[in-house]
Amino acid sequence: MKLNSIFKIRFLFVVSLVFIFFSCSNNEESKEDPEVIDEEVITELTISDGTVFEPKGFYPKFNWEVTPQYCMFGDGTRTLTASEVSLISEKSDFICIEKNHAWIALNYAEVGTKYEVEAFKQVKPDIKVLYYFNSAYAWPFTSYNENFTTDKIDDYPELKKFLIVNEDTGELEHRNNIFFFDVLNPDFRNWWVETVVAGVTFSGADGVFIDQMHGFSWLRNDRAEEVRLAMGEMMSSLKEGLGENKILLGNNAATVEDVFPVIDATMFEHYSKTITNSKENLLKEWDDMLRIAKAGKISVYRFGVEVEDDASIDGLSGSEKEMALEQLSKERLEYYHACYLIGAQPYAYFQYGWGWRLATGPLVDYPELEKPLGSPKGMYSRTTSTGWEFTREFEHASVWVNTETEEAKITWKYIVS
């Protein structure tokens, strides 16, 4: 009897261990279910699949108190006023100074960026300010690029060899007299990396926005693979040259396979109503935003109403056109805002306006972007498996959008009076 009791005790002990093991396994599986997120444990950095975003120490601050905004702007004629610096600082912790800022006033764009970096840091020390440089177009606004012009380039053969030549005409390729960099030239790639690093260092910026990821591959389709590899190599070298504590943001780089692994951030630039703004592409981008967040990288979701073909701006020019575009931007904000919110993840920022200049949105008051938002409660829902209506819940907002009809409704649950 005593022996039997010992066996019974051991048997029950083993059964208990097995039960505990399988219970723990089942609990672990439920935590990983992307459709189930425990609202008790949602934080500012909870990704929509229930995992947690892991930011790098040099990233900007992020929260869901209001819509997280990224601002990118420039004015080629002047620097910002103190009130403009203050206004933009209140909107965003993450900004970029555009390619020709203060070029006329201060001679060179990198000087304009340096000026604004110092101005913004005085008002908001933790703000992250990016320098701008292009990997494809030789914009002549910096001291590094000032000789890439039609009247000077022939005097600088060492620079001319960095540019793409038309195989049929022997002339330099250009768009409105802006020359094209040749990423296939290894000497150019070395010069370019050194130049960008020099601009970031001189300006004191927290990183750089690199525009154009294509390398003009369509001009030499037979060498497209070489172009792709060269662009990846150049961006990898740039990240190494910048160092670990600088942000590298690549425009439209979410799906550029050799570039994406080395960058810290990417922008979705919506420049075409039929291509980038199509319902199919928007759906794809929401999945991309999830993938980017899981990789610990930043997203910028940029919309601009200048892509609209709207009768309200037909025949207008100058200030009249700008006023009409501002009004149009206010009318269309809810739809574009909803498109961002449906797919937004931690460290996904919204940029809005109707251009890249200071006067095309960054100084406009959009009260909806300052309404209390709160953390998302999970991923978006698609109302039917093949339909184009989507919904998503935030702590203080319910979002509905139809990307086929371009309609949206954001219902705010709590509004500060």
Side-chain angles (χ1 to χ4, degrees), residues 110-182:
E110 73 269 25
V111 181
T113 300
K114 179 180 174 65
Y115 184 96
E116 304 303 0
V117 168
E118 294 172 354
F120 277 105
K121 294 290 185 178
Q122 287 181 357
V123 173
K124 198 175 194 178
D126 292 333
I127 195 170
K128 300 298 181 180
V129 187
L130 301 184
Y131 175 65
Y132 173 101
F133 212 81
N134 202 298
S135 69
Y137 291 97
W139 294 107
F141 302 122
T142 66
S143 64
Y144 319 112
N145 282 9
E146 65 177 330
N147 296 316
F148 288 105
T149 59
T150 54
D151 61 333
K152 295 180 181 179
I153 193 62
D154 287 335
D155 294 331
Y156 297 89
E158 72 280 9
L159 297 179
K160 191 173 183 178
K161 68 180 181 180
F162 295 160
L163 304 175
I164 297 177
V165 176
N166 185 291
E167 293 181 358
D168 296 326
T169 66
E171 300 295 324
L172 293 175
E173 293 279 11
H174 68 93
R175 187 183 73 173
N176 298 325
N177 291 325
I178 303 300
F179 298 126
F180 299 172
F181 286 137
D182 184 4

Side-chain angles (χ1 to χ4, degrees), residues 53-206:
F53 187 97
E54 298 183 5
K56 297 174 183 175
F58 54 90
Y59 281 7
K61 293 180 179 179
F62 181 89
N63 64 68
W64 293 109
E65 292 177 9
V66 298
T67 300
Q69 290 189 69
Y70 168 90
C71 291
M72 184 167 172
F73 52 85
D75 186 319
T77 66
R78 65 178 179 87
T79 58
L80 302 181
T81 65
S83 62
E84 289 168 343
V85 170
S86 178
L87 189 155
I88 293 170
S89 296
E90 290 174 3
K91 284 188 176 189
S92 179
D93 293 315
F94 191 27
I95 67 174
C96 177
I97 311 301
E98 245 276 350
K99 56 181 163 285
N100 70 339
H101 185 68
W103 169 56
I104 293 176
L106 300 177
N107 295 322
Y108 299 118
E110 73 269 25
V111 181
T113 300
K114 179 180 174 65
Y115 184 96
E116 304 303 0
V117 168
E118 294 172 354
F120 277 105
K121 294 290 185 178
Q122 287 181 357
V123 173
K124 198 175 194 178
D126 292 333
I127 195 170
K128 300 298 181 180
V129 187
L130 301 184
Y131 175 65
Y132 173 101
F133 212 81
N134 202 298
S135 69
Y137 291 97
W139 294 107
F141 302 122
T142 66
S143 64
Y144 319 112
N145 282 9
E146 65 177 330
N147 296 316
F148 288 105
T149 59
T150 54
D151 61 333
K152 295 180 181 179
I153 193 62
D154 287 335
D155 294 331
Y156 297 89
E158 72 280 9
L159 297 179
K160 191 173 183 178
K161 68 180 181 180
F162 295 160
L163 304 175
I164 297 177
V165 176
N166 185 291
E167 293 181 358
D168 296 326
T169 66
E171 300 295 324
L172 293 175
E173 293 279 11
H174 68 93
R175 187 183 73 173
N176 298 325
N177 291 325
I178 303 300
F179 298 126
F180 299 172
F181 286 137
D182 184 4
V183 71
L184 291 178
N185 184 330
D187 292 333
F188 162 72
R189 295 196 298 269
N190 292 334
W191 171 89
W192 185 89
V193 169
E194 293 173 0
T195 296
V196 177
V197 171
V200 172
T201 302
F202 171 82
S203 66
D206 298 292

Side-chain angles (χ1 to χ4, degrees), residues 250-266:
N251 193 15
N252 295 316
T255 57
V256 183
E257 60 180 298
D258 294 287
V259 171
F260 182 76
V262 303
I263 60 175
D264 305 296
T266 184

